[in-house]
Amino acid sequence: MSKFNLNAIDSYSYEPLRKQVYKVLREAILKGELMIGEKITEMEIASELSVSRTPVREAFRMLEQEELINIIPQQGVFIAGIETKKEIDDIFQIRVELEGLAAYLAAKNIDQEQRKMLKNYIQEIENCIESNDQRGCIRVDIAFHRIIKEAAQNKWLAKFLDTLFEQATRFRRSSFSRAGRMEEFLAEHKELAAAIINGEAQEARLSAEAHIKAAWNSILSVFEKEQS
């Protein structure tokens, strides 16, 4: 049985192995499959992906440049996390503003297919919460926010949101550990989806801002508890 449950390498791909390993590990980190602080080794990853240690070592260097892992001499390789409250604040200060703008634009520009998808994602979030599937919640949340980003129809906004969303996703699972957070999460998504679907741009902006602030506060509360 695999230790990390990583996606398999595509043996038919023309991409260099180091790039494929990098992509697999990056996705696992950003989706929370590899947990903050978890130790990984070249040997374990090479064995799980059925590759040699060389492309794994090269992938580690690429991930280190993105600050997704920490390579500590004499200790090993660890999944990077957030080390200070300021890091969290810096990310979420910007997210509040940009997610609010994205929701505002999405309410003005959303099409029928995107409305349908938002409704479906709300149902999927409900299903994940009923089964206490935190990883499922994260996957659906990523898709939910992707629809809003696409409906906003602003490519530069989308680029900035992608970067911020990736950073926030790394510690998303920790926020779910707070009692009652998953139910709040569902209520926030329902309110946001309703405003966008109904074309209520200002309400959508306010709902998005409130949703991001709630996630911000939840993550901070868990972070501060862990620090103490």
Side-chain angles (χ1 to χ4, degrees):
M1 184 176 177
S2 65
K3 178 178 178 180
F4 300 112
N5 195 31
L6 301 173
N7 290 333
I9 292 292
D10 180 4
S11 59
Y12 294 99
S13 174
Y14 288 102
E15 265 193 322
L17 271 178
R18 66 178 182 279
K19 191 69 177 290
Q20 291 191 65
V21 174
Y22 158 78
K23 285 183 174 180
V24 167
L25 291 174
R26 188 175 190 275
E27 182 181 24
I29 292 168
L30 295 178
K31 287 186 175 180
E33 304 289 347
L34 290 174
M35 299 293 289
I36 289 172
E38 186 169 1
K39 184 176 182 179
I40 56 177
T41 69
E42 287 180 13
M43 186 175 296
E44 288 174 327
I45 299 300
S47 174
E48 177 141 349
L49 297 178
S50 299
V51 298
S52 71
R53 293 173 63 174
T54 299
V56 176
R57 188 178 310 120
E58 292 169 341
F60 280 0
R61 292 196 194 104
M62 296 164 73
L63 292 166
E64 185 184 30
Q65 289 178 350
E66 287 193 60
E67 298 184 5
L68 292 176
I69 63 171
N70 294 321
I71 301 177
I72 305 175
Q74 313 306 319
Q75 294 186 43
V77 180
F78 301 86
I79 305 303
I82 300 299
E83 297 181 0
T84 67
K85 177 179 180 294
K86 188 177 186 304
E87 287 183 78
I88 298 173
D89 288 342
D90 286 350
I91 291 170
F92 278 88
Q93 281 171 354
I94 303 301
R95 274 201 76 198
V96 167
E97 300 298 326
L98 295 190
E99 293 279 5
L101 175 59
Y104 178 88
L105 295 174
K108 288 178 171 292
N109 299 318
I110 193 167
D111 61 32
Q112 280 303 116
E113 181 60 27
Q114 290 166 334
R115 286 187 177 92
K116 181 180 177 182
M117 293 177 76
L118 281 185
K119 290 179 181 177
N120 289 341
Y121 289 142
I122 292 297
Q123 184 58 58
E124 288 184 33
I125 290 173
E126 284 196 79
N127 295 340
C128 289
I129 289 175
E130 284 178 9
S131 59
N132 197 34
D133 180 2
Q134 293 184 6
R135 291 186 178 185
C137 272
I138 292 171
R139 283 193 294 272
V140 180
D141 183 48
I142 290 169
F144 179 92
H145 283 277
R146 185 183 301 122
I147 291 297
I148 296 174
K149 178 187 69 179
E150 291 172 356
Q153 298 180 21
N154 183 312
K155 71 175 184 178
W156 289 107
L157 177 59
K159 287 177 185 291
F160 293 133
L161 283 174
D162 281 344
T163 300
L164 292 167
F165 200 82
E166 286 179 348
Q167 293 301 318
T169 298
R170 285 192 292 155
F171 42 88
R172 185 81 51 80
R173 282 181 67 186
S174 67
S175 73
F176 287 146
S177 65
R178 183 174 65 77
R181 177 57 194 150
M182 292 183 78
E183 289 72 23
E184 294 170 359
F185 178 83
L186 173 60
E188 291 159 17
H189 279 75
K190 282 183 173 180
E191 181 180 302
L192 176 55
I196 293 173
I197 289 167
N198 294 330
E200 298 167 344
Q202 189 56 32
E203 288 80 357
R205 184 198 291 270
L206 294 174
S207 292
E209 290 175 353
H211 168 51
I212 301 304
K213 286 176 181 177
W216 183 358
N217 289 332
S218 183
I219 288 167
L220 274 180
S221 69
V222 174
F223 176 79
E224 289 169 351
K225 184 178 179 181
E226 289 175 348
Q227 293 299 301
S228 63

